[in-house]
């Protein structure tokens, strides 16, 4: 029986998972279902400022979960302002307490950490809080925080080590700047903040920091949200600027100095133009670096076992079964070359991999039409091709873009942000106007996108979308009544409600 094989005497485990994030834990628990002997090695190398966290990986501890909760804090601030027009009366001054928010968020994260440990124990998965690195064929060395080393062997290994924030490599960056690894547990209000970067992490953090009332500036080297639809990315930038977030474009920091110690202190940031020799200086309480993330693959002994990585990016190339060039070593999640860096993708890939290895399954992870949402102040949900990618792949003459602005009913009474929300679908004319790109900019964008992603998996066409009756009055109904094409040049702005 495939599901009940005994571990060969030559190995300690059937499967050792290196990395206790979303993907690694999902794979480990799945393998335990098939009565496999499984070990998870998880270790958080502290940030330059000394922060570390519990079991669960980036998403739970310093990523999606705290980010969405702090985004919610910002949305509640906006809702308070809106509520006056709906008849709610309260004192003029409304204040936000940073410490109350971070303590509440960290308490919830702590409960998740505990839950993961309990789940592993219940499923009889061995967990060690130790740093795993390959030292030879089928062998890893596990080093705990006290420096105690142990060797373990396994028939198969799964690398799920994820990524960590990148630093600029300039004077003062690691000494004085923070990253997303530090922000969500910061023990003081960050005050006037410079966010360096134009990634979704940069814009999401800038958004909620401004949303809780802080003075925020974003320094952008070139374009916003590289890899995302640029039409939408620019609309997000415009909305953020209109809502009081400052943008410094085409500059990069070259030096960070501490002017005054404190919580927060005062930092002087010297920056240089990317277009010339212009130098500017600015003073901030906090500098948050969000310029990208690097795969944690260079210090886990992959060279000792011959696993090939992309030397430039550190990413691991795998086949369509998540297998590296070394047959008994697999990899999932953010460390994969040319794959999406999203928690649910890692979870799905991990579970399906284990089912193929131990349960005779054949289903592979589908990396196409994966929905995602960027939790900027105006949320952005997307699935499928960006407009640029669709034009490049199919040719401009073979795609039709339908689009419209819309005004959420909830925003009409406070009379704010008309013609800021936006809906767009991209259709392949040659394939019955099949929907190959879905984009929505507006409240609850993730909730809207999830359902349409399922429809796209089923191959929905524009005609089928048009024949779907909308739910009134909700934002998502706009997708059932799109008539204006970009090609026509007709106006999509709403007049009245």
């Amino acid at each position: 029986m495939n599901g009940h094989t005994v571990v060969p005497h030559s190995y300690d485990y059937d499967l050792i998972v290196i990395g206790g994030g979303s993907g690694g834990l999902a794979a480990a628990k799945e393998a335990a279902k098939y009565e496999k002997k499984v070990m998870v090695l998880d270790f958080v190398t502290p940030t330059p400022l000394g922060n570390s966290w519990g079991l669960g990986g980036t998403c739970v501890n310093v990523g999606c979960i705290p980010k969405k909760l702090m985004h919610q804090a910002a949305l509640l601030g906006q809702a308070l302002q809106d509520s006056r027009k709906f008849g709610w009366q309260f004192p003029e001054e409304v204040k936000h307490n940073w410490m109350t928010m971070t303590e509440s968020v960290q308490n919830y994260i702590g409960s998740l950490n505990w839950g993961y440990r309990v789940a592993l124990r219940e499923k009889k998965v061995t967990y060690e809080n130790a740093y795993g690195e390959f030292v030879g064929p089928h062998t890893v060395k596990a080093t705990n925080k006290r420096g105690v080393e142990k060797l373990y062997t396994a028939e198969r290994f799964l690398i799920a080590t994820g990524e960590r924030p990148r630093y600029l490599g300039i004077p003062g960056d690691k000494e004085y700047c923070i990253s997303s690894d530090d922000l969500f547990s910061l023990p003081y209000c960050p005050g006037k903040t410079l966010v360096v970067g134009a990634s979704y992490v940069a814009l999401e953090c800038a958004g909620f920091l401004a949303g809780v009332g802080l003075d925020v500036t974003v320094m952008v080297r070139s374009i916003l949200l590289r890899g995302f639809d640029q039409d939408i990315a620019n609309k997000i930038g415009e909305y953020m600027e209109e809502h009081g977030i400052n943008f410094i474009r085409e500059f990069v920091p070259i030096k960070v100095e501490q002017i005054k110690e404190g919580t927060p202190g005062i930092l002087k940031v010297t920056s240089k133009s990317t277009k010339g020799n212009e130098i500017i200086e600015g003073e901030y309480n906090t500098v948050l670096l969000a310029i990208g993330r690097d795969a944690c693959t260079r210090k886990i002994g992959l060279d000792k076992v011959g696993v090939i990585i992309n030397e430039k990016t550190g990413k691991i190339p795998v086949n369509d079964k998540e297998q590296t060039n070394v047959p008994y070593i697999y990899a999932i999640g953010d460390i994969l070359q040319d794959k999406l860096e999203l928690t649910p993708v890692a979870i799905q890939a991990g579970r399906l991999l284990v089912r193929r290895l131990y349960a005779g399954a054949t289903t592979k992870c589908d990396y196409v039409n994966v929905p995602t949402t960027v939790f900027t102040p105006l949320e952005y949900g997307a699935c499928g091709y960006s407009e640029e990618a669709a034009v490049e792949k199919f040719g401009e003459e073979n795609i039709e873009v339908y689009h419209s602005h819309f005004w959420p009913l909830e925003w009409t009474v406070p009379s704010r942000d008309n013609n800021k929300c936006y809906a767009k679908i991209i259709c392949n004319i040659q394939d019955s106007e099949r929907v190959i790109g879905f984009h929505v900019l507006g409240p609850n964008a993730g909730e809207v996108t999830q359902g349409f992603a399922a429809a796209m998996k089923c191959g929905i066409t524009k005609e089928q979308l048009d024949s779907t009756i909308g739910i009134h009055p909700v934002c998502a109904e706009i997708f059932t009544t799109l008539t204006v094409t970009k090609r026509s040049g007709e106006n999509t702005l709403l007049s009245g409600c």
Side-chain angles (χ1 to χ4, degrees):
M1 282 250 317
N2 200 18
H4 296 274
T5 50
V6 178
V7 184
H9 289 299
S10 50
Y11 299 123
D12 301 323
Y13 291 91
D14 289 303
L15 177 68
I16 291 180
V17 179
I18 304 176
S22 307
L25 291 177
K29 289 186 280 191
E30 191 70 23
K33 276 188 198 173
Y34 305 110
E35 301 194 8
K36 294 299 170 186
K37 196 175 180 191
V38 185
M39 170 182 257
V40 172
L41 296 174
D42 186 61
F43 188 85
V44 180
T45 303
T47 72
L49 298 184
N51 288 315
S52 60
W53 45 88
L55 183 62
T58 296
C59 174
V60 166
N61 291 284
V62 289
C64 333
I65 298 296
K67 170 268 300 284
K68 176 95 185 285
L69 292 172
M70 292 191 179
H71 171 64
Q72 174 65 7
L75 293 182
L76 288 170
Q78 180 67 66
L80 279 171
Q81 301 307 320
D82 290 354
S83 71
R84 296 183 196 277
K85 283 287 177 70
F86 285 94
W88 288 97
Q89 296 177 349
F90 47 89
E92 208 48 49
E93 190 184 24
V94 177
K95 287 202 294 199
H96 180 266
N97 187 300
W98 176 269
M99 288 311 298
T100 301
M101 177 181 71
T102 51
E103 281 172 23
S104 301
V105 168
Q106 289 304 317
N107 286 342
Y108 175 61
I109 290 170
S111 74
L112 293 178
N113 298 144
W114 176 247
Y116 289 131
R117 296 188 69 156
V118 169
L120 290 181
R121 194 160 62 233
E122 284 175 352
K123 289 180 168 56
K124 298 184 171 55
V125 173
T126 305
Y127 160 62
E128 279 217 19
N129 182 202
Y131 189 90
E133 55 187 309
F134 290 97
V135 289
H138 292 275
T139 309
V140 289
K141 177 175 74 175
T143 310
N144 69 15
K145 59 186 174 202
R146 292 186 301 279
V148 177
E149 297 177 358
K150 294 179 188 170
L151 294 180
Y152 297 104
T153 61
E155 184 183 11
R156 292 188 178 100
F157 291 84
L158 177 59
I159 307 167
T161 48
E163 299 181 304
R164 295 292 293 272
R166 186 178 303 149
Y167 283 78
L168 284 162
I170 62 169
D173 63 345
K174 288 186 176 174
E175 293 86 348
Y176 306 125
C177 300
I178 65 169
S179 74
S180 55
D181 281 357
D182 305 295
L183 178 64
F184 302 111
S185 58
L186 201 66
Y188 53 85
C189 179
K192 182 182 178 185
T193 301
L194 174 69
V195 179
V196 181
S199 62
Y200 73 89
V201 177
L203 298 188
E204 287 176 338
C205 292
F208 71 68
L209 289 173
V212 298
L214 302 182
D215 179 344
V216 178
T217 300
V218 181
M219 185 173 285
V220 181
R221 186 184 61 187
S222 53
I223 63 170
L224 300 179
L225 295 175
R226 187 179 301 281
F228 289 89
D229 189 282
Q230 284 302 293
D231 174 26
I232 305 274
N234 291 328
K235 284 178 166 58
I236 291 171
E238 286 165 19
Y239 183 90
M240 291 174 72
E241 283 195 88
E242 285 166 8
H243 284 256
I245 296 172
N246 309 303
F247 279 79
I248 299 174
R249 294 177 186 271
E250 297 179 336
F251 272 85
V252 290
I254 54 172
K255 184 168 59 171
V256 180
E257 300 165 278
Q258 188 179 61
I259 292 175
K260 184 180 171 196
E261 280 188 36
T263 51
I266 300 175
L267 302 172
K268 183 169 89 170
V269 180
T270 307
S271 306
K272 185 177 187 297
S273 167
T274 59
K275 289 286 167 76
N277 294 319
E278 187 186 352
I279 301 284
I280 58 171
E281 292 179 349
E283 288 188 9
Y284 305 92
N285 299 118
T286 298
V287 178
L288 170 65
L289 301 182
I291 56 169
R293 299 170 64 80
D294 290 324
C296 300
T297 55
R298 298 187 192 274
K299 295 179 180 174
I300 56 171
L302 294 183
D303 52 324
K304 302 264 191 1
V305 282
V307 172
I308 291 168
I309 66 169
N310 180 317
E311 279 307 323
K312 186 167 182 280
T313 63
K315 298 265 189 168
I316 301 177
V318 293
N319 63 16
D320 63 354
K321 295 176 181 173
E322 284 79 41
Q323 192 174 33
T324 70
N325 64 300
V326 177
Y328 65 89
I329 299 176
Y330 298 79
I332 57 168
D334 292 2
I335 57 173
L336 297 191
Q337 184 170 290
D338 302 324
K339 295 287 191 285
L340 295 158
E341 299 176 10
L342 297 166
T343 287
V345 172
I347 292 170
Q348 177 91 318
R351 285 182 182 149
L352 292 177
L353 166 63
V354 166
R355 286 171 199 164
R356 291 195 306 272
L357 291 178
Y358 301 128
T362 56
T363 307
K364 296 170 188 171
C365 185
D366 183 359
Y367 292 94
V368 178
N369 283 344
V370 175
T372 188
T373 297
V374 181
F375 291 97
T376 35
L378 195 56
E379 296 175 15
Y380 167 35
C383 185
Y385 287 89
S386 66
E387 198 175 330
E388 297 86 355
V391 168
E392 190 180 326
K393 171 120 183 172
F394 301 100
E396 197 164 357
E397 68 285 358
N398 294 319
I399 66 162
E400 197 73 83
V401 177
Y402 295 88
H403 65 151
S404 178
H405 285 82
F406 62 94
W407 197 13
L409 181 65
E410 297 85 345
W411 295 6
T412 57
V413 168
S415 195
R416 68 174 172 90
D417 295 321
N418 193 3
N419 287 316
K420 297 296 176 223
C421 296
Y422 181 68
K424 172 165 83 171
I425 60 167
I426 302 157
C427 300
N428 182 355
I429 295 170
Q430 301 295 326
D431 186 17
S432 309
E433 280 208 310
R434 202 169 301 287
V435 179
I436 56 169
F438 175 95
H439 302 272
V440 61
L441 198 52
N444 307 301
E447 310 296 346
V448 172
T449 305
Q450 185 71 75
F452 286 104
M456 286 177 69
K457 277 276 184 214
C458 299
I460 195 166
T461 62
K462 177 66 166 71
E463 185 183 5
Q464 290 169 323
L465 209 47
D466 291 344
S467 68
T468 303
I469 294 173
I471 301 168
H472 190 67
V474 300
C475 294
E477 70 178 313
I478 190 75
F479 286 98
T480 65
T481 59
L482 292 173
T483 55
V484 178
T485 65
K486 258 200 176 177
R487 206 186 303 275
S488 73
E490 289 175 36
N491 189 16
T492 63
L493 298 176
L494 299 175
S495 53
C497 59

